[in-house]
Amino acid sequence: MASSNRTFDLAVIGCGIVGAACARAGTRAGLRTIIVEGSLAGGGATAAGMGHIVVMDGSEAQLALTLYSRRLWQQLIPELPEAAEYRSCGTLWIAEHEAELELARRKQAKLAGQGVACEILDARQLMEAEPCLRPGLAGALRVPDDGVLYPPIAAQWLWQQAQNAGAVMRSGAIVTRIQEQAIHVAGGDRIQAGAIIVAAGSQGAELIPEIPLRPRKGHLLITDRYPGFLRHQVVELGYLQRAHAGTESSVSFNLQPRATGQVLIGSSRQYSHDRAVEPDVLSRMLARAQSYVPRLGDLRGLRAWTGFRAATPDDLPCIGPLPNRPHIFAALGHEGLGITTSLGTAELLLAQMLGAEAPIPAGPFQPARFFIETSPAGHA
Amino acid sequence: MKTGSVTIIGAGPAGLAAAAAAAPYATVTLLDENPGPGGQIWRAGAGTTTAAAELWEPARQAGAQWLGGCRVVAADAHALLLENATGAQRLPWEKLVLAPGARERFLPFPGWTLPGVLGAGGLQALVKNGLDIRGQRVMVAGSGPLLLAAAAFLRSQGAIIAGITEQATRRQLAGLAWASLVSPEKRKQASGLFRQLRGVPYLTHCWVEAAEVQESSHKNSGWLAAVRLRRGNRRWREPCDWLASGFGLAPNIELARLLGCALAPAAEGRPSSIAVDDFQLASQSNIWCAGEITGIGGLELSLLEGRIAGLAAAGQTALARRWLKARDRQRHFARALARAARLDAELRRLPGDETVICRCEDVPLGRLREYHSWREARLLGRCGMGACQGRICSDITGWLWNWQYDTTRPPVTPARISTLALMAANAEKASSSEFIL
Amino acid sequence: MPETFTVFINGQPVTAGPETSVAALLLRERMVNRRSCAGQLRAAFCGMGICMECRVTIDSDAHGLGCMTFCRPNMKITTL
């Protein structure tokens, strides 16, 4: 194959949304770029995800990365194809009772402090904003500039941007090993590149075993079309706590209006390698959603599926060079935020690669925090 | 003394035969999505036909239970999740007989989505369910013996059959006729059908190239007005009120696949079926399959397979053994028929780039040409992402490009969220009061 | 159930019986039940609960399956 005899400035492993964004950023920086994809581009976690473009404040670093990334998405929106189904529906963080509304107020203050438009809705305003919710909820935090999109098309579009700028793809190539400045693919082929970005999602763990990635399985179910049933992405405020409670499996209420009028119902979390839809988890997830939106019970579910989020122990992605192999960069471990943070990840990584000023502090995302020998102090 | 319980899904000939055979020896529950037993072939609106009653009555008298009007939306190794018009229930099972029958195969052509274009068996079913077709012109088109049965039935209900077009050549049909000599029953059926259809044009190596829409000034604006027919180099227009079109049958395998039953080897581009052993046992223990699900074979084969499956599931292997030879003879005939039935390669050229292939999501052929696999077409083109879960379009893409349909997941049919919330084993209690039969 | 009764299609009373499916009734009345997602007119197609083309609002159910649902007295069917 012609591509393997050439030398590239940048090779990206994995054409999910993160890899596609990195390839696009690479070509925009003038790098001769190749992307290596083992299966279907955008067919992994990208295809399974909800596509919620959301500001999350689980930590200061997470807030910085999601906020920066959301801004990048907003700049791209006018260019996205219609099939990417971007809708600026906003997020409603639901407070079930007064104590949660207090948490919502604190969250509001924190986000507002970062310049994020957001407002507290009381019980009545919440019912007006989202009439399908059950009565008796305390209120919500509304973040109007969050949105949703259809990730496989968004990823495909990002890749096409890279391709238009000269990037090439090596598809159907399974990467067996990476070296400084070379990728080995199954069949004995080698691809030479000045820098390598590993954006292979959960499979990244096989290439960089030092990074403790674990696949965190999630279930989703989508309904038939019910235009107007739901207006916002609606998430329970306790989502973060429930999502990362560390129990065997957790479900939380997370509902998304698709551009088609379909309702996408999430979500669940469990450490697992088993791809099967689990009746027990799925039914608990649906029961929880129904407890917030009683009329949801009458809607028809068409299809359920699962996907794997690549999770790190500290719930922050790895975005940066490997301490022992500085030409190899990780873009891994985005957990449930890969769609949102794909654009920010790409920019942050390219800045580090090219020695440019980082758009947000890169320190918390360094893979070095997981490399015991090279950083004995570590990061908790 | 009855030992064990047998749950039978599908109350067509195979399921009814299984119920009748198993009922004396086991506690039998027979369920079907239609309100009464009979399946597609013995459909009788909300009631029961004589043929169905002849099998069902002894089963019922032996204690078999009827669960009509409910669909199986999910299943695991212990229970079925059922939904009816008003509620849902988890139904535990010990032994399962799957007899879900088949659906029609549809091939696309310009205009096949117009109101007034239906499946051949589909129009027949709708007439049985109350559509009055007296004095209306029906074109019957496609392939296979089902066309004759549909045309004869529609004629008996007062329809004017404008013609029957069969895509196979006369020579191919002669091959089928030879195959049918193996089976006197089939021979009798065929001559009976032709007698009922005396005077109706029957055109071989002929097909509908396009369906035309009624113009906007007409009272039936937007509906089918006529079909464009082609036979060799001859092309003409035939006005009609309805087009009943079908290209044979495809087994309903989804539930069996969900339960982990292995597929039988299938020739390229042909519908898949479930593999069974001599006693109709599938690759999963305690699951027997009977009727069209094991490969399209028609009424006699379905009855024999159903009887064997019912007896085997009820532990009566010795009794079941008596029917194997007769079953094998019918199966031999069915396989010969399947081998002889071929779709003309020209039919692949009928749909144009604008012709919708995925009816749920309106995905046209031209867009599908951009993709290389079923999964890519789904993810990037929404093909098969709608309410039918790809049942109609995946068969077409399988025929066009040999794309493989990927895994089956619950729910196997669209179901209420409140139903799906009962999928878990520990949800059993909460559900029992919700199911109203 | 009585032999015939009234059902309502888009508010208009129509006579039907318990042996008539909603899809058959709509075809009989030459009523198109729905528009596809791209806006095409669609009516019942497979007639046996597979293709889902006959989806129509039946009472409060926005995606009732017309070919698998039999008419009941005072049923309200809303098309398109």
Side-chain angles (χ1 to χ4, degrees):
Chain A
M1 200 164 289
S3 61
S4 42
N5 299 328
R6 283 171 53 194
T7 301
F8 294 91
D9 299 322
L10 172 64
V12 180
I13 301 172
C15 192
I17 198 160
V18 173
C22 289
R24 174 176 172 272
T27 56
R28 282 161 66 90
L31 304 180
R32 288 168 301 163
T33 303
I34 183 170
I35 196 160
V36 185
E37 169 58 49
S39 173
L40 178 61
T46 299
M50 272 186 130
H52 188 196
I53 305 299
V54 58
V55 171
M56 290 285 271
D57 62 342
S59 64
E60 203 178 304
Q62 189 184 60
L63 178 55
L65 180 62
T66 54
L67 184 53
Y68 169 60
S69 297
R70 194 186 70 171
R71 205 172 295 138
L72 294 175
W73 275 114
Q74 282 162 349
Q75 287 163 12
L76 276 190
I77 288 160
E79 297 176 50
L80 288 177
E82 177 48 36
E85 294 179 354
Y86 182 84
R87 293 294 183 276
S88 179
C89 60
T91 305
L92 285 179
W93 294 93
I94 306 297
E96 202 174 354
H97 39 70
E98 193 49 42
E100 278 194 353
L101 195 55
E102 185 47 39
L103 287 175
R105 289 194 192 97
R106 263 183 258 158
K107 188 179 171 85
Q108 195 270 340
K110 191 155 129 199
L111 294 182
Q114 295 293 316
V116 179
C118 55
E119 56 178 340
I120 293 290
L121 306 184
D122 64 19
R124 191 184 54 79
Q125 290 167 320
L126 176 59
M127 292 313 290
E128 276 168 20
E130 204 57 79
C132 69
L133 287 166
R134 79 168 149 84
L137 296 167
L141 171 66
R142 192 164 87 97
V143 185
D145 297 332
D146 285 352
V148 302
L149 50 69
Y150 182 58
I153 295 287
Q156 186 197 38
W157 182 82
L158 290 170
W159 158 243
Q160 281 166 353
Q161 296 280 300
Q163 196 177 25
N164 294 344
V168 296
M169 183 183 292
R170 181 73 191 275
S171 59
I174 309 291
V175 176
T176 52
R177 193 156 66 86
I178 48 174
Q179 275 178 310
E180 280 285 87
Q181 312 198 321
I183 293 173
H184 295 255
V185 299
D189 221 349
R190 244 162 66 103
I191 297 168
Q192 311 248 18
I196 294 166
I197 294 177
V198 179
S202 296
Q203 291 166 40
E206 291 160 27
L207 300 174
I208 312 175
E210 293 91 339
I211 299 179
L213 288 180
R214 289 176 76 189
R216 198 180 254 164
K217 178 178 175 178
H219 286 72
L220 288 173
L221 183 138
I222 196 158
T223 69
D224 207 332
R225 295 170 186 239
Y226 298 88
F229 182 85
L230 184 71
R231 301 170 186 173
H232 302 78
Q233 175 113 15
V234 183
V235 191
E236 64 177 295
L237 193 67
Y239 177 80
L240 271 182
Q241 287 85 333
R242 292 180 73 89
H244 300 288
T247 51
E248 199 167 301
S249 69
S250 71
V251 297
S252 44
F253 167 57
N254 188 347
L255 225 53
Q256 180 179 87
R258 301 297 314 170
T260 53
Q262 292 173 283
V263 179
L264 183 52
I265 307 172
S267 59
S268 71
R269 274 178 166 78
Q270 67 198 112
Y271 288 113
S272 170
H273 290 89
D274 177 10
R275 194 161 282 284
V277 169
E278 293 167 55
D280 174 53
V281 178
L282 185 67
S283 63
R284 274 199 293 137
M285 182 180 96
L286 297 177
R288 181 135 193 107
Q290 246 188 289
S291 76
Y292 279 87
V293 179
R295 281 197 295 131
L296 193 62
D298 296 329
L299 271 50
R300 277 169 215 268
L302 296 188
R303 197 169 60 252
W305 67 93
T306 63
F308 298 104
R309 311 170 181 96
T312 60
D314 60 5
D315 286 315
L316 282 179
C318 289
I319 306 169
L322 307 189
N324 53 353
R325 291 181 286 175
H327 295 284
I328 299 174
F329 294 77
L332 292 169
H334 293 77
E335 221 273 348
L337 288 169
I339 310 298
T340 297
T341 60
S342 55
L343 298 182
T345 295
E347 295 303 325
L348 188 57
L349 208 50
L350 263 289
Q352 295 177 72
M353 194 180 287
L354 303 173
E357 192 191 338
I360 58 169
F365 305 106
Q366 290 311 307
R369 68 191 191 277
F370 296 121
F371 286 66
I372 309 300
E373 283 83 359
T374 51
S375 60
H379 295 251
Chain B
M1 170 80 186
K2 290 187 181 183
T3 52
S5 81
V6 177
T7 305
I8 302 166
I9 296 170
L16 282 167
Y25 312 103
T27 307
V28 167
T29 305
L30 176 62
L31 57 97
D32 195 283
E33 57 192 16
N34 291 292
Q40 297 305 334
I41 188 165
W42 294 331
R43 177 189 290 272
T48 309
T49 61
T50 320
E54 275 172 14
L55 280 171
W56 173 239
E57 212 29 52
R60 193 186 63 79
Q61 280 170 20
Q65 291 288 313
W66 169 247
L67 270 181
C70 66
R71 291 195 140 190
V72 181
V73 303
D76 58 29
H78 311 287
L80 309 170
L81 180 60
L82 308 179
E83 181 180 273
N84 71 2
T86 53
Q89 183 186 19
R90 262 177 71 89
L91 183 73
W93 62 271
E94 282 176 28
K95 307 280 170 73
L96 209 52
V97 176
L98 302 181
R103 53 180 174 258
E104 279 186 278
R105 292 194 78 184
F106 301 110
L107 303 186
F109 49 86
W112 77 302
T113 54
L114 285 176
V117 178
L118 289 98
L123 184 58
Q124 197 176 351
L126 281 151
V127 170
K128 287 180 180 178
N129 285 354
L131 170 60
D132 183 355
I133 203 150
R134 280 174 298 179
Q136 301 187 28
R137 280 177 69 81
V138 182
M139 192 73 208
V140 180
S143 196
L146 193 74
L147 297 184
L148 298 175
F153 172 79
L154 294 169
R155 195 182 208 199
S156 77
Q157 300 300 301
I160 302 158
I161 307 298
I164 303 169
T165 71
E166 162 63 58
Q167 60 86 38
T169 61
R170 191 164 291 278
R171 176 197 285 234
Q172 285 168 327
L173 288 181
L176 293 183
W178 180 85
S180 79
L181 292 179
V182 186
S183 160
E185 299 95 327
K186 294 278 174 193
R187 203 165 53 211
K188 217 170 101 195
Q189 280 166 22
S191 64
L193 286 174
F194 276 111
R195 216 169 26 251
Q196 291 170 56
L197 290 166
R198 194 165 292 152
V200 172
Y202 181 74
L203 302 172
T204 54
H205 203 224
C206 178
W207 49 79
V208 173
E209 280 198 311
E212 287 184 2
V213 67
Q214 199 67 256
E215 68 257 30
S216 55
S217 59
H218 195 273
K219 70 175 165 64
N220 290 335
S221 160
W223 288 70
L224 173 75
V227 291
R228 293 262 168 204
L229 295 169
R230 177 179 174 191
R231 190 182 198 202
N233 292 324
R234 187 178 159 228
R235 289 183 159 92
W236 73 101
R237 182 177 187 272
E238 193 74 55
C240 53
D241 300 299
W242 306 94
L243 169 60
S245 175
F247 290 83
L249 299 172
N252 287 324
I253 58 170
E254 287 75 12
L255 183 60
R257 294 294 288 154
L258 182 68
L259 286 161
C261 299
L263 292 175
E268 188 165 304
R270 291 196 190 244
S272 302
S273 57
I274 300 298
V276 288
D277 74 0
D278 245 12
F279 291 90
Q280 305 295 134
L281 182 66
S283 66
Q284 292 288 324
S285 56
N286 296 324
I287 301 178
W288 288 261
C289 291
E292 311 292 31
I293 187 174
T294 68
I296 303 305
L299 176 61
E300 287 76 22
L301 180 58
S302 291
L303 289 169
L304 287 161
E305 288 194 354
R307 183 177 294 161
I308 292 164
L311 288 169
Q316 304 300 312
T317 313
L319 290 178
R321 194 180 298 277
R322 294 183 192 169
W323 299 97
L324 303 190
K325 215 172 224 164
R327 190 264 327 267
D328 290 345
R329 197 175 67 91
Q330 288 292 339
R331 197 177 271 170
H332 174 75
F333 162 71
R335 301 294 178 265
L337 209 59
R339 273 195 302 275
R342 286 199 193 291
L343 293 174
D344 199 299
E346 275 289 304
L347 296 170
R348 287 200 172 88
R349 313 230 300 242
L350 292 180
D353 277 357
E354 283 78 43
T355 306
V356 162
I357 302 298
C358 169
R359 301 170 65 111
C360 294
E361 296 290 324
D362 282 346
V363 187
L365 179 67
R367 187 127 52 86
L368 289 178
R369 290 194 207 279
E370 297 168 22
Y371 310 121
H372 307 94
S373 68
W374 174 246
R375 181 137 199 273
E376 191 180 1
R378 276 168 68 93
L379 277 182
L380 298 179
R382 299 192 64 87
C383 183
M385 296 287 241
C388 91
Q389 300 178 326
R391 279 173 170 75
I392 305 296
C393 60
S394 70
D395 191 35
I396 297 169
T397 58
W399 168 67
L400 284 174
W401 303 304
N402 202 32
W403 284 355
Q404 302 298 308
Y405 193 112
D406 53 17
T407 51
T408 306
R409 298 180 296 252
V412 287
T413 187
R416 290 186 295 270
I417 301 301
S418 56
T419 299
L420 299 174
L422 302 176
M423 208 185 281
N426 54 16
E428 222 153 330
K429 266 218 173 84
S431 69
S432 53
S433 61
E434 296 196 22
F435 205 90
I436 302 162
L437 292 171
Chain C
M1 218 181 278
E3 262 175 42
T4 62
F5 45 76
T6 302
V7 302
F8 297 89
I9 306 178
N10 303 327
Q12 296 298 308
V14 176
T15 302
E19 304 249 308
T20 301
S21 71
V22 170
L25 179 71
L26 290 172
L27 290 182
R28 189 188 86 188
E29 299 294 315
R30 287 278 176 167
M31 301 275 296
V32 169
N33 52 290
R34 72 183 195 101
R35 276 188 189 278
S36 70
C37 59
Q40 299 179 1
L41 301 176
R42 296 284 168 80
F45 178 65
C46 84
M48 42 190 86
I50 298 286
C51 76
M52 310 284 161
E53 286 284 23
C54 63
R55 279 171 291 160
V56 65
T57 303
I58 302 173
D59 295 324
S60 64
D61 182 357
H63 294 292
L65 205 45
C67 76
M68 303 300 292
T69 309
F70 286 84
C71 291
R72 294 183 299 268
N74 296 316
M75 183 182 257
K76 288 176 186 60
I77 302 159
T78 312
T79 67
L80 297 178

